[in-house]
Amino acid sequence: MYSSTRRSVLRLGAAGAGSLILPRFAIAQGDNRPSITIAVQKITNSNTLDVLREQSNVGERIFFSHLWEGLIGRDWLGGLKQIPMLATAWKRIDAQTVELTLRPGVKFHNGAEMTADDVVFTFSRERMFANTEAKKRSTLQAFENIPMPRPGKELPVEVPATARRAWPDLIRVDAIDRYTVRFVNATPDVTLEGRLSRYGSEIMSRKGWEDSPSYLDWARKPITTGPYAVVEFKPDAHLILEAHDDYWGGRPPLKRIRFVEVPEVASRVNGLLSGQYQFACDIPPDQIVGIEKNASFEVQGGTILNHRLTVFDKHHPQLADPRVRRAMTHAIDRQAIVDSLWAGRTVVPKGLQWPYYDGMFVADWDVPKFDLALAADLVEQSGYKGDPIPYRLLNNYYTNQVATAQILVEMWKAAGLNVEIESKENWTQIMERTPTRAVRDWSNSAPFNDPVSSIVNQHGPNGQQQQIGEWSNDEANKMAEVMETSTDHDTRRKAFRRMLEICEREDPAYTVLHQNATFTAKPKSIRWKASPAFAMDFRAGNFAM
């Protein structure tokens, strides 16, 4: 059983002093807390603020820890370990059931108290699962594009698809009393606590949903428990959050947070240096030295629990033979990419996993070795005739994305592969199932410390790759089910290793390029600490001037 006091998850920070040019909007009279503007390359991809629609790196940045909170939280400044959040304690009833004690007195942005009823509704068919069923291993089909929701409260198809990715076997949530809930699974699951802490399991106000005229109205101004509430959201432009002074964790240190979309790196940096922005996100490593030449500024950040991937559509004619995909994995000099584009500030990991997995980490595994001769031999064996292999590319959605793609194309060319870049404007165009869908960029995170949170979540039976019809493998899906339902550690670890062998070596679904890193620039006069994640923490104790 895990328990805590009301304040155990907070760090009561020290005050600091300094000067700062504030953004050009007024601070309410009598409230001398500062307001800040944060320049990001993208606010959301789906143009909503729904954690089940916006499962993205950019979404993590604006959601946590500002808007959304779960029953079990992540310590953003303490190694991302699980901590009490909206629940103060939890215990196992059996292999399929977890009981949680809710934190009393938590107020939503609408002033209502959070109770067991809100938790039950959050995990209901109406909000999360629609007509999907637990313990069904058939792949749910999701749109490759991101359509606008229909009028009314009908869930967009990708919401239940994402929900079953996160909670494949959840049957129901029972309200035992006002402050006690039980999560009941259809199968044994050693990762239930992790699933409760993962991105997508955060709690919403039932009344906030019921008071909204449509799903889209709700999704652009969700009523949650976080320290900041939505004031205004203009997709592709800005998001303004305002302090929720009834926040259970203490009065927020900021009056307002304004996220503005600034796609170009140079514009983000120039705006920071001129005082237009107080934070500039997604700074490429080659810009860090230039920013820090100004003694008033610093860049924080480093590696995070996210890996950059190249992903394959095995149904494209040029990629149907796995030897072509295997050749692509062996043609990549990953260390050269890390050295040239990342100034050594990140690493080449041991495949799609992290030491964070503890006992499930496969220490003797590695990414496919760089072997140009082997890659060329595999190309020859496959009978590949030199036909173009399309590579769909966004303009630096990921840091150094375009430069990385250009290097990859040259590396593949050296192995005899004719890969051609096709620039796209958005994720709908990247995912669209047409004859030119073959290779694309992606990333994969570990929202909790078990491989079901990453390799199964994204590449398993209801991972996005299979839901959009990009890749599947029957044996890999069986291994995914073993990891999700077995309670034997050795059995689960063997299944994970086998899934790595299939997905990274035998029938490649993807190949890992490097561990991702994120860097944020700010004035030194602001006392703030970056987390080892895309998330930005602006709660009490992590902001002072």
Side-chain angles (χ1 to χ4, degrees), residues 18-64:
S19 59
L20 183 65
I21 300 174
L22 295 177
R24 296 178 178 87
F25 50 80
I27 298 173
Q29 186 175 4
D31 188 342
N32 61 1
R33 287 174 295 180
S35 295
I36 60 170
T37 298
I38 303 171
V40 298
Q41 55 92 357
K42 187 69 178 171
I43 295 174
T44 70
N45 296 313
S46 65
N47 286 337
T48 74
L49 305 176
D50 181 359
V51 289
L52 287 173
R53 272 195 104 212
E54 188 60 36
Q55 293 266 308
S56 68
N57 300 340
V58 294
E60 179 180 297
R61 176 172 289 128
I62 64 162
F63 290 162
F64 312 119

Side-chain angles (χ1 to χ4, degrees), residues 106-374:
V106 172
K107 295 293 183 66
F108 286 111
H109 300 152
N110 59 8
E113 184 187 18
M114 182 199 72
T115 68
D117 182 60
D118 297 292
V119 177
V120 171
F121 181 78
T122 295
F123 291 86
S124 67
R125 289 186 179 278
E126 184 177 352
R127 153 59 182 151
M128 186 178 279
F129 294 113
N131 61 356
T132 65
E133 298 295 338
K135 207 177 177 180
K136 297 285 186 180
R137 296 298 168 193
S138 56
T139 300
L140 299 171
Q141 298 302 310
F143 291 138
E144 301 90 59
N145 59 8
I146 306 177
M148 292 305 295
R150 298 174 185 175
K153 294 287 182 66
E154 180 181 355
L155 294 174
V157 66
E158 64 270 26
V159 169
T162 301
R164 282 300 176 199
R165 190 181 305 161
W167 290 94
D169 296 334
L170 185 67
I171 299 175
R172 66 183 188 274
V173 180
D174 295 333
I176 306 304
D177 58 38
R178 186 175 178 84
Y179 299 116
T180 309
V181 293
R182 282 185 183 173
F183 282 69
V184 182
N185 219 46
T187 61
D189 188 345
V190 300
T191 70
L192 288 177
E193 294 85 350
R195 295 182 188 279
L196 282 162
S197 70
R198 63 153 292 129
Y199 185 167
S201 294
E202 291 76 21
I203 307 303
M204 57 178 281
S205 165
R206 179 172 190 163
K207 187 177 187 303
W209 171 274
E210 292 173 344
D211 288 346
S212 293
S214 70
Y215 168 84
L216 187 58
D217 286 293
W218 171 83
R220 288 186 169 170
K221 197 172 183 179
I223 304 299
T224 63
T225 64
Y228 299 91
V230 179
V231 173
E232 182 178 80
F233 177 41
K234 289 191 175 180
D236 303 318
H238 66 252
L239 168 66
I240 299 176
L241 308 176
E242 191 168 77
H244 171 43
D245 285 342
D246 285 333
Y247 179 55
W248 64 269
R251 191 170 186 255
L254 294 167
K255 173 61 179 173
R256 281 191 171 188
I257 301 173
R258 180 170 175 256
F259 291 93
V260 294
E261 200 160 297
V262 185
E264 297 300 323
V265 173
S267 297
R268 294 200 295 275
V269 171
N270 291 336
L272 173 80
L273 298 178
S274 68
Q276 184 179 4
Y277 315 129
Q278 283 66 60
F279 291 84
C281 299
D282 294 315
I283 300 298
D286 65 354
Q287 297 289 313
I288 294 175
V289 172
I291 292 171
E292 292 189 335
K293 281 183 179 178
N294 186 322
S296 298
F297 294 89
E298 65 177 357
V299 179
Q300 290 192 19
T303 55
I304 60 176
L305 292 175
N306 178 276
H307 290 339
R308 276 279 285 109
L309 314 180
T310 296
V311 184
F312 307 116
D313 186 336
K314 68 184 288 184
H315 304 297
H316 189 277
Q318 309 311 321
L319 300 182
D321 191 322
R323 288 174 293 190
V324 174
R325 285 174 275 133
R326 288 174 56 202
M328 296 180 82
T329 72
H330 287 292
I332 300 171
D333 186 345
R334 295 164 178 80
Q335 192 60 49
I337 293 173
V338 167
D339 293 340
S340 62
L341 297 183
W342 290 87
R345 291 177 183 261
T346 187
V347 296
V348 178
K350 291 179 174 291
L352 188 53
Q353 57 170 345
W354 293 262
Y356 170 71
Y357 288 168
D358 296 327
M360 288 294 288
F361 182 67
V362 184
D364 61 346
W365 188 254
D366 213 338
V367 293
K369 65 179 179 179
F370 171 52
D371 188 331
L372 197 55
L374 174 58

Side-chain angles (χ1 to χ4, degrees), residues 67-71 85-86 201-203 225-227 247-248 539:
L67 277 176
W68 289 94
E69 296 182 316
L71 299 174
M85 188 61 68
L86 299 182
S201 294
E202 291 76 21
I203 307 303
T225 64
Y247 179 55
W248 64 269
R539 289 173 295 176

Side-chain angles (χ1 to χ4, degrees), residues 369-413:
K369 65 179 179 179
F370 171 52
D371 188 331
L372 197 55
L374 174 58
D377 185 54
L378 287 167
V379 171
E380 185 176 356
Q381 290 179 38
S382 74
Y384 170 74
K385 303 300 183 184
D387 292 326
I389 301 173
Y391 179 0
R392 293 179 177 176
L393 184 69
L394 289 174
N395 182 21
N396 288 327
Y397 173 83
Y398 300 109
T399 300
N400 284 327
Q401 185 175 6
V402 172
T404 300
Q406 292 168 339
I407 291 174
L408 288 174
V409 166
E410 292 303 313
M411 290 177 174
W412 289 327
K413 182 179 180 181

